[in-house]
Amino acid sequence: MTSQPEHAETASPPKSIGRPFALDPLFRPLTALSGIGPRNGKLLEKLVGGPKILDLLWHKPIDFIDRRYAPTLAEALPGKTATLTLRVEKHIPNTRRNLPYRVRCKDDTGSIDLVFFNAHKDYIEKNMPLGATIIASGKVEAYQGQLQMVHPDALGALEDKDSIATIEPIYALTAGVTNKAVRKAINSALPAVPCLPEWQDAAYFARQHWPVWDDALRTLHNPPGENGLSPLHPARARLAYDELLANQLALSLVRYRQRKVNGRIYNTNGPHRARVLAAVPFELTGAQKQSLVEIDADMGSDERMLRLLQGDVGSGKTVVAALSMMNAIDTGAQAALMAPTEILARQHAQSLKPWLDAAGVRFVILTGRDKGKARDLLLQQIASGAAQVVIGTHALFQDDVIFSDLGLAVIDEQHRFGVHQRLQLASKGKGVDTLVMTATPIPRTLTLTAYGDMDVSRLNEKPPGRKPVDTRLMSQDKLDEMIDGIARQIAAGARVYWVCPLVEESEVMDLAAAEERFDILQARFGDRVGLVHGRLKPQEKDEVMEKFARGDLSILVATTVIEVGVNVPEATIMIIEHAERFGLAQLHQLRGRVGRGGDKSFCFLLYSGPLSDNGKARLATMRDTEDGFLIAEKDLELRGSGDILGTKQSGLPTFRLADLSAHAELLATARDDARLIIDKDPDLKGPRGNALRHLLYLFERDQAIQYLRSG
Ligand code: ADP
Ligand code: MG
């Protein structure tokens, strides 16, 4: 994605103090394992997604090879993987380079050749000396009437038989790391796995017939045949539940803390609200009014608000945010609005300006771009309260940003901020109310993992005047026809967004693709075409967007930067190249840029074939519906939870052991469980509470514990 959040790494977790000693072996670096040095350690770290032994232990097998079949040669079935006990009879070195070295072996019932290409003689003589008894495991084949095994997967001496003739787990790998190396590392890590106090609810645990934690981990890596890979296998289900419980408990703790600090009672529906309402040039939709009723109820009570305002692109969240902020202003407090990117922050400021001006509310914008004297001046205005509304990015988190009296934090997050970042802003005032706005229509299950039991207001009704967008799928081969069609539309005054594909998530490559398309279109349409991408300075970006908004440009070629909230009601055509490379949620967001004015709008999804069945189904979903929630559900179904909605980019929590398409029920249980825990033992002081602390540290949700501490 081209528009990156500012300072994505700012919120580094507080130092992990108080971690139970029992967990230490799991938090040692991979290099503490024998045979893992700095070099292969780096590769292994990349593979397992983290530097510590626990990361390795959570790298779960994706398949297995059953080597328990140990027949005599007379019984051995060609085509099957077998573990054979053999006597080395004869070495038959190759006579030419491209021929194999053969090692003829026997047992009491027959003979077989072990076949090696490019073999080192030393290696063979050392591992398979004449007369020795060896164990060879691999696929048995019949070749010209003779049994053979090409490059056995495993070779050993007789005493290795028990360790070879097992079910061998197969792991996802990366260049430079073999399955054997992963297994070896895991096998040397497993003995150090501590036995931990049980954090599951005793009754539930007994009903599930789950293994204890360390047993579950051992079983994970020694799958007992086929069903050992099933997400519903007791060992895997247990580990998945642990992860979901850690997620839900951390969210519940945070929420409990936030609730415990008394909120303030804000004056709702006061004079500033009235002035903004008078300046808004449209009637609020029913959904907007309802959301405001809910927000006012929260803000008017002494409980702290923690509310999610969920609404599709274009559903009109901004005005709801503005009207909510007026409650703070009418109480003499300040309000902050934080966006994930600079461009979004500026757009918010632009949308709010007329309303804030009309209400006589002073506001400032603070982003990472502000430096030196200019920044100092802004900080002063924030600290003195001269700035009543502060609009900004991550820059608002910085320690030297001190509010005179922050009352409401509105976070337009598009999933890019984490829970503790939200808290960080809320901690800049006393009893700050928080409203989180999100445009990604995520399914209920995901809302739960990202926000826990937050209160939710939904803008499920679009502002009037929005027409359905006619969505069509087209092969990329038809590009020329497409351009001819566009030429006619432009001549008739149409305005067109032209989105270029995401190439391997590389900004440089994205840009090349967009520039190439720009050149081609410019050759035909001259200065009616503009280009906007993430490398432009914000000011340059704004200029191009502005020209498009004014109608000085007919075609705006863009990388995905336009995803973030531009509003040009006159644009009626959206073209997305290589649509198959985008996530459904992203396509939905992009399409939401058109159909905002009075004219009929179109969205062309260009794909380059051949598409997989899944790819076809995904694009068909886009063609058939504009309901963001339906699209999100479909996305979950078609992609599995591995990369729902491009979770990696979106900042939604990702799970290592849980798979939301298989473990949705466990998630619901974990939510209820977390709620009960908080009811009974909010400080996690009892025996189960103590065990649960282990769990939170295990999943690095210990920030929740830090909050507990500072409570
Ligand atoms: P979101 O942030 O939810 O994507 P915006 O707040 O940017 O949506 O609103 C999209 C557009 O719809 C804006 O031009 C806004 O002024 C307009 N709008 C919002 N609410 C209404 C309404 N009730 N009636 C008509 N237009 C509205
Ligand atoms: Mg918006």
Side-chain angles (χ1 to χ4, degrees):
M1 200 159 296
T2 331
S3 53
Q4 288 298 322
E6 286 189 8
H7 319 298
E9 306 302 325
T10 341
S12 63
K15 246 200 143 20
S16 209
I17 33 173
R19 187 174 69 212
F21 294 128
L23 300 179
D24 285 354
L26 302 166
F27 282 77
R28 292 209 178 98
L30 290 168
T31 46
L33 295 169
S34 73
I36 307 292
R39 258 172 152 225
N40 55 359
K42 270 277 167 265
L43 287 171
L44 198 58
E45 175 178 339
K46 192 173 142 222
L47 175 68
V48 304
K52 50 186 196 311
I53 287 176
L54 192 57
D55 295 309
L56 172 71
L57 290 170
W58 280 339
H59 189 62
K60 55 183 193 269
I62 50 173
D63 202 355
F64 67 88
I65 297 176
D66 190 347
R67 299 193 184 283
R68 290 173 302 179
Y69 175 59
T72 62
L73 287 172
E75 300 162 338
L77 292 171
K80 274 196 78 163
T81 295
T83 299
L84 305 172
T85 306
L86 304 169
R87 218 165 42 243
V88 180
E89 283 288 316
K90 193 173 167 192
H91 284 193
I92 313 171
N94 44 326
T95 47
R96 272 188 285 130
R97 268 262 300 282
N98 52 354
L99 288 178
Y101 194 122
R102 293 174 169 270
V103 177
R104 180 141 310 162
C105 298
K106 291 199 164 150
D107 69 4
D108 294 338
T109 67
S111 84
I112 187 168
D113 280 358
L114 306 183
V115 178
F116 299 88
F117 289 87
N118 302 317
H120 285 285
K121 198 157 172 281
D122 298 351
Y123 167 83
I124 288 182
E125 285 177 349
K126 178 158 173 274
N127 289 283
M128 290 157 276
L130 286 178
T133 298
I134 60 166
I135 305 297
S137 187
K139 194 153 157 207
V140 176
E141 296 167 2
Y143 178 72
Q144 298 180 343
Q146 164 73 31
L147 287 179
Q148 67 172 27
M149 183 183 285
V150 180
H151 290 272
D153 302 326
L155 273 178
L158 188 57
E159 65 262 29
D160 299 323
K161 182 165 182 184
D162 287 347
S163 66
I164 292 176
T166 57
I167 294 183
E168 179 183 330
I170 304 294
Y171 296 91
L173 300 173
T174 184
V177 184
T178 62
N179 199 61
K180 201 168 155 188
V182 175
R183 281 195 73 198
K184 187 158 168 270
I186 284 176
N187 284 331
S188 68
L190 279 175
V193 168
C195 130
L196 299 173
E198 185 55 72
W199 48 75
Q200 305 284 0
D201 172 71
Y204 180 63
F205 181 63
R207 262 201 321 279
Q208 295 294 316
H209 302 290
W210 280 343
V212 296
W213 183 75
D214 52 318
D215 276 345
L217 210 50
R218 278 187 286 272
T219 305
L220 181 72
H221 293 291
N222 295 290
E226 197 72 66
N227 74 359
L229 296 175
S230 157
L232 301 179
H233 183 276
R236 289 197 173 215
R238 192 231 143 102
L239 295 169
Y241 186 80
D242 289 342
E243 186 170 36
L244 295 169
L245 182 59
N247 162 268
Q248 290 300 298
L249 184 58
L251 289 165
S252 303
L253 279 171
V254 163
R255 180 187 169 86
Y256 173 77
R257 288 300 125 179
Q258 219 178 5
R259 283 257 158 112
K260 211 175 96 171
V261 178
N262 272 350
R264 280 157 71 174
I265 298 181
Y266 292 91
N267 303 329
T268 57
N269 225 346
H272 284 90
R273 158 85 63 94
R275 277 183 244 159
V276 169
L277 265 178
V280 169
F282 44 73
E283 174 78 7
L284 297 186
T285 63
Q288 285 169 326
K289 286 182 185 157
Q290 176 58 30
S291 299
L292 282 166
V293 166
E294 290 160 5
I295 290 166
D296 287 354
D298 287 356
M299 292 188 76
S301 88
D302 64 356
E303 281 218 357
R304 289 178 72 186
M305 174 168 77
L306 186 57
R307 182 169 286 279
L308 182 67
L309 179 62
Q310 207 174 25
D312 225 336
V313 194
S315 59
K317 294 185 290 297
T318 317
V319 70
V320 175
L323 293 165
S324 308
M325 291 199 281
M326 291 311 111
N327 288 341
I329 308 304
D330 279 321
T331 312
Q334 292 167 294
L337 169 59
M338 187 171 74
T341 62
E342 161 136 16
I343 189 165
L344 250 187
R346 295 197 179 278
Q347 274 168 5
H348 274 310
Q350 213 176 5
S351 324
L352 295 180
K353 188 174 182 341
W355 303 333
L356 296 179
D357 285 351
V361 173
R362 297 176 303 272
F363 73 98
V364 296
I365 308 171
L366 182 73
T367 72
R369 195 150 48 113
D370 300 301
K371 300 259 151 63
K373 280 238 169 65
R375 181 166 184 276
D376 291 342
L377 194 66
L378 290 170
L379 293 189
Q380 263 173 37
Q381 290 174 285
I382 297 170
S384 70
Q388 296 166 285
V389 167
V390 183
I391 301 168
T393 57
H394 259 94
L396 296 182
F397 286 142
Q398 279 149 17
D399 286 337
D400 58 352
V401 180
I402 296 161
F403 287 81
S404 157
D405 180 19
L406 181 63
L408 174 68
V410 180
I411 302 178
D412 184 7
E413 66 162 8
Q414 324 226 338
H415 302 305
R416 284 175 178 136
F417 300 118
V419 175
H420 41 273
Q421 290 173 305
R422 273 177 236 143
L423 278 180
Q424 234 172 316
L425 191 55
S427 69
K428 285 185 177 283
K430 281 227 170 341
V432 176
D433 278 357
T434 302
L435 180 67
V436 179
M437 305 198 290
T438 170
T440 309
I442 51 179
R444 175 81 194 125
T445 37
L446 283 182
T447 315
L448 207 53
T449 63
Y451 303 99
D453 264 336
M454 223 165 151
D455 297 311
V456 179
S457 295
R458 272 190 181 177
L459 295 181
N460 51 6
E461 177 187 354
K462 296 226 164 131
R466 295 186 59 115
K467 299 237 169 92
V469 179
D470 185 344
T471 301
R472 302 190 182 180
L473 312 185
M474 268 177 103
S475 165
Q476 193 96 22
D477 303 338
K478 303 239 173 87
L479 193 68
D480 290 338
E481 281 170 50
M482 173 93 241
I483 294 179
D484 289 339
I486 292 300
R488 288 191 294 274
Q489 294 290 329
I490 287 179
R495 254 175 268 173
V496 182
Y497 289 110
W498 195 301
V499 179
C500 287
L502 201 66
V503 185
E504 302 194 346
E505 302 193 9
S506 143
E507 204 179 317
V508 184
M509 305 264 286
D510 275 3
L511 189 52
E515 276 172 342
E516 192 187 320
R517 181 61 63 228
F518 173 71
D519 288 344
I520 290 171
L521 291 170
Q522 205 183 31
R524 174 137 183 199
F525 301 108
D527 60 7
R528 304 297 303 162
V529 190
L531 173 64
V532 61
H533 55 75
R535 286 286 176 90
L536 293 180
K537 297 209 177 73
Q539 214 170 329
E540 297 169 323
K541 242 186 268 182
D542 292 350
E543 268 164 37
V544 181
M545 299 263 200
E546 191 55 33
K547 279 172 88 175
F548 183 64
R550 276 202 311 265
D552 295 348
L553 297 173
S554 298
I555 304 182
L556 183 68
V557 180
T559 54
T560 46
V561 283
I562 63 156
E563 182 193 355
V564 290
V566 295
N567 189 24
V568 181
E570 297 84 359
T572 53
I573 299 178
M574 168 66 64
I575 295 168
I576 305 174
E577 289 198 48
H578 286 290
E580 77 280 0
R581 292 184 192 164
F582 289 87
L584 290 190
Q586 223 177 350
L587 290 176
H588 178 65
Q589 299 267 335
L590 288 167
R591 180 170 59 186
R593 301 289 126 217
V594 296
R596 300 184 150 216
D599 294 330
K600 176 165 181 170
S601 294
F602 294 89
C603 174
F604 296 98
L605 302 176
L606 304 187
Y607 60 88
S608 85
L611 288 177
S612 64
D613 286 347
N614 194 287
K616 275 182 209 151
R618 285 161 39 89
L619 291 183
T621 302
M622 290 305 299
R623 182 191 55 209
D624 298 341
T625 181
E626 275 191 79
D627 178 335
F629 284 95
L630 203 71
I631 289 172
E633 299 284 355
K634 201 76 188 167
D635 206 17
L636 180 62
E637 181 190 317
L638 289 173
R639 276 216 256 190
S641 70
D643 188 28
I644 299 160
L645 315 170
T647 27
K648 291 255 165 58
Q649 297 165 20
S650 65
L652 283 171
T654 50
F655 294 104
R656 306 205 52 172
L657 304 163
D659 169 356
L660 291 179
S661 53
H663 297 134
E665 250 173 74
L666 290 183
L667 175 63
T669 309
R671 183 219 26 218
D672 296 343
D673 200 357
R675 210 185 275 165
L676 279 174
I677 293 165
I678 301 286
D679 281 351
K680 278 196 199 149
D681 181 15
D683 298 311
L684 303 185
K685 289 223 166 98
R688 189 179 181 207
N690 173 57
L692 285 162
R693 285 172 183 250
H694 288 74
L695 175 70
L696 290 172
Y697 276 102
L698 214 46
F699 286 94
E700 294 180 67
R701 298 273 155 56
D702 43 301
Q703 269 192 321
I705 293 180
Q706 313 304 336
Y707 289 120
L708 211 157
R709 198 180 302 278
S710 63

